[in-house]
Amino acid sequence: MNELILDNRIMPVVLAAGNISGTCSSISGYISSLYDSLYIVIDGYFDIIENDVQYTLSPGSALFIKHGTDVRASFHHNENDCIIINYYYFDIPAKRDDNSGNQYIIPKHLENVSGSILFEKAERYIELFNSDSTYSRLDINARFFDILSECVKYSIDYRHNPNNLSENI
């Protein structure tokens, strides 16, 4: 499977975070499956094809790519169109064998995250990750775990789960 699992006992490790901007042809090299990746589209339209499954991305879309999968970018629009993407390259260490923790499937593709707390946190944490201040990067992995948990919460399955404590309060 090419899904990512969030385990509340395992901290993801952020390897890189930043912003990609340019024309369609200039950014295609940044779409990679060398690492687990999160891409959030700020501006522009394009497709990412992972293991022969096509995901159409537009402003406000978020997509997770699992490392080691066959992935490529496809541009059916003008190759000179400008695209802006926020990205995180990360690693989630192997899950433990015991069943004492809680595990959640991270949704593969999210739409309309613009203006959400997820979108705001993702932008802010990229700024902190790339800051000159050592202390601002101190807890970047915990902050990224926060982004991943927001993705789980944002998914339809979570919002319509009748056992969701916050909806019952």
Side-chain angles (χ1 to χ4, degrees):
M1 298 288 303
N2 62 354
E3 60 192 20
L4 294 167
I5 305 293
L6 182 63
D7 187 316
N8 67 344
R9 300 162 301 154
I10 299 172
M11 187 68 64
V13 178
V14 176
L15 306 170
N19 181 288
I20 306 165
S21 63
T23 62
C24 295
S25 57
S26 69
I27 69 155
S28 62
Y30 290 96
I31 308 301
S32 169
S33 67
L34 291 175
Y35 311 103
D36 292 329
S37 308
L38 167 59
Y39 299 101
I40 301 174
V41 181
I42 308 302
D43 193 23
Y45 298 85
F46 64 102
D47 297 324
I48 290 182
I49 302 161
E50 181 188 34
N51 291 342
D52 296 323
V53 176
Q54 180 173 317
Y55 300 95
T56 299
L57 302 177
S58 59
S61 296
L63 181 69
F64 285 93
I65 300 293
K66 186 174 174 91
H67 74 280
T69 58
D70 177 32
V71 63
R72 63 191 181 281
S74 171
F75 306 100
H76 50 83
H77 302 284
N78 183 347
E79 292 225 357
N80 294 320
D81 286 350
C82 183
I83 295 176
I84 303 171
I85 303 169
N86 285 340
Y87 70 90
Y88 284 89
Y89 298 142
F90 61 97
D91 179 46
I92 298 179
K95 63 181 181 178
R96 300 177 184 184
D97 292 333
D98 63 3
N99 292 324
S100 61
N102 294 318
Q103 296 180 349
Y104 306 92
I105 296 174
I106 299 172
K108 184 79 178 155
H109 185 204
L110 296 170
E111 292 287 341
N112 302 317
V113 299
S114 295
S116 69
I117 191 72
L118 160 64
F119 190 84
E120 293 172 17
K121 286 179 179 181
E123 282 198 329
R124 177 68 182 129
Y125 298 167
I126 285 173
E127 291 173 15
L128 292 173
F129 183 83
N130 292 301
S131 167
D132 291 335
S133 168
T134 304
Y135 295 111
S136 67
R137 290 179 293 216
L138 179 64
D139 59 353
I140 193 66
N141 295 328
R143 291 174 189 264
F144 187 64
F145 187 93
D146 183 36
I147 290 171
L148 296 179
S149 66
E150 288 294 337
C151 289
V152 170
K153 293 172 189 174
Y154 197 84
S155 73
I156 291 171
D157 292 336
Y158 181 92
R159 286 184 280 160
H160 291 98
N161 181 350
N163 296 323
N164 181 349
L165 181 61
S166 65
E167 291 178 4
N168 295 321
I169 295 178

